[in-house]
Amino acid sequence: MPVVLGIETSCDETGVGIVADGVLLGDALATSMDEHARFGGVVPEIAARAHLHAVAPMVRHALDRAGIGFGDIDAVAATAGPGLATAVQVGLAAGKAYALTLNVPLYGVHHLAGHAAVDTLEHGPLPARCAALIVSGGHTSLLLIGDLARDPVVHLGDTVDDAAGEAFDKVARLLGLPYPGGPAIDQAARAGDPAAITFPRPMTGPHDPPYQFSFSGLKTAVARWIEKHGDQPVPVADVAASFQEAVADTLTRKALAACRHHQADTLLLVGGVAANTRVRHLAEQRCAAAGVRLRVPSPRLCTDNGAMIATLGDLLIRNDITPDRLDLRADPSATLHGALLHGPR
Ligand code: KG4
Ligand code: ZN
């Protein structure tokens, strides 16, 4: 079985994974998160420089964990977009260099397709067709996915402004919580009352587009609420829990409506925000009530990692998909059409 080396550098995580035949042999992750924390968000140049330092050691680490050497690698997959331009370039250039020196094929893959693919590591092959909600720091999309290696992805709706993770990060800042905001809000919300404040459920009205999202108004609603209560100390836990409830409710409501209307009996919930405790619980409850099978990766595989890119590469090679040429270009703002950035072929 071919062994695939996957490299992920689209944001602040340098992730390397090694996958063969749907099995994760080893992985390694370095993050420059702490270096960005004092700026309140990812600084692209800092992220790119950190990738440059971390990528080779992480490859070595992942190989060691898998108990294999460079000579055992049969293909390389690297994120070719979307993401921070300089950050993506570093990982893609590394991927090209490994592919060239090892004389193995290269796949330049779509980061978001990687988020979807990683679920197969824990839960086996995807069904012939499913609805997928990809919720990350840069994207929020409701999709219909068929054969991930071959079929084009159908977009039911995307966010018209902020992504769900972006909203978590911005609201965390308003609350004085550290970057990245998602885990900080998740943690703070545990001590809070999700019914304390009724924040809006954006774009859920009867005349709103059913599968599109908008989180910038929700963030503003939180900001206004905090402003109005300026004289008193902000009840951080209650605001965090109530905001988180509004996001979880909105995401799961729309995802289940999509399952219902498109006769999808499986919902795939992936991306960094799928690590959120409340989003996971509410999705479980609502899927169970609707008779929909929920597939959601373990939290550590929801956030960016190298295993997801290796898994996607493994899926491509096992489906005999033609690899990319070594002059393939990164596209930092690539829309998700399929597994390959410049596909489907
Ligand atoms: O998928 P991801 O790791 O990177 C992108 O592709 O963007 O997602 C990162 C986003 C960040 O906005 C982060 O705050 C959010 O996912 N996130 C969470 C949680 N863990 C990460 N949001 C809510 N709850 C969490 N537990
Ligand atoms: Zn991601």
Side-chain angles (χ1 to χ4, degrees):
M1 275 299 160
V3 176
V4 181
L5 171 74
I7 300 174
E8 155 60 34
T9 64
S10 68
C11 193
D12 54 356
E13 254 96 29
T14 314
V16 174
I18 297 167
V19 170
D21 199 19
V23 177
L24 180 64
L25 303 181
D27 65 344
L29 191 73
T31 178
S32 55
M33 209 175 267
D34 293 348
E35 295 174 58
H36 307 288
R38 68 191 170 103
F39 301 103
V42 178
V43 182
E45 275 312 316
I46 293 178
R49 207 167 294 221
H51 289 311
L52 208 51
H53 287 128
V55 70
M58 288 306 111
V59 168
R60 190 65 263 173
H61 220 86
L63 285 170
D64 289 347
R65 286 200 173 147
I68 61 170
F70 280 111
D72 298 310
I73 301 294
D74 298 298
V76 177
T79 298
L84 304 170
T86 48
V88 173
Q89 299 284 4
V90 174
L92 182 59
K96 288 177 179 179
Y98 285 117
L100 183 70
T101 48
L102 300 174
N103 193 26
V104 297
L106 171 79
Y107 292 103
V109 301
H110 198 289
H111 176 80
L112 297 178
H115 274 302
V118 80
D119 187 65
T120 62
L121 283 180
E122 294 174 314
H123 304 124
L126 292 174
R129 182 174 170 276
C130 67
L133 177 60
I134 302 190
V135 272
S136 71
H139 297 84
T140 300
S141 298
L142 200 41
L143 314 158
L144 287 178
I145 289 181
D147 179 341
L148 195 54
R150 297 178 186 279
D151 296 344
V153 165
V154 176
H155 284 249
L156 299 176
D158 301 273
T159 181
V160 297
D161 43 53
D162 291 354
E166 196 177 349
F168 270 96
D169 295 334
K170 288 177 176 171
V171 167
R173 251 174 117 161
L174 293 171
L175 291 173
L177 296 172
Y179 171 83
I185 288 187
D186 200 334
Q187 182 67 36
R190 280 175 203 173
D193 175 6
I197 310 150
T198 309
F199 286 123
R201 272 53 173 168
M203 279 205 179
T204 52
H207 304 295
D208 286 326
Y211 309 130
Q212 284 183 20
F213 300 90
S214 164
F215 289 108
S216 126
L218 174 57
K219 167 203 65 195
T220 308
V222 176
R224 294 281 163 277
W225 194 94
I226 294 172
E227 260 169 43
K228 267 210 294 205
H229 292 74
D231 313 344
Q232 303 132 35
V234 179
V236 172
D238 281 349
V239 176
S242 302
F243 160 76
Q244 180 174 271
E245 190 64 23
V247 176
D249 183 19
T250 306
L251 290 175
T252 52
R253 235 195 262 186
K254 285 175 179 267
L256 278 144
C259 290
R260 203 162 45 244
H261 293 132
H262 291 274
Q263 284 91 41
D265 61 8
T266 302
L267 173 65
L268 180 63
L269 174 60
V270 293
V273 178
N276 182 268
T277 315
R278 183 59 186 151
V279 171
R280 297 169 80 92
H281 273 149
L282 200 54
E284 266 165 34
Q285 275 172 8
R286 290 184 171 172
C287 281
V292 169
R293 180 168 179 232
L294 177 67
R295 292 180 57 134
V296 51
S298 305
R300 88 167 190 103
L301 292 178
C302 287
T303 45
D304 289 350
N305 61 82
M308 64 192 232
I309 302 307
T311 307
L312 190 55
D314 172 57
L315 207 65
L316 290 167
I317 202 160
R318 283 193 284 135
N319 277 274
D320 280 330
I321 304 295
T322 312
D324 281 295
R325 288 166 34 140
L326 284 183
D327 61 356
L328 121 111
R329 294 167 71 101
D331 181 355
S333 54
T335 307
L336 176 61
H337 296 299
L340 286 170
L341 203 76
H342 302 290
R345 286 192 281 275

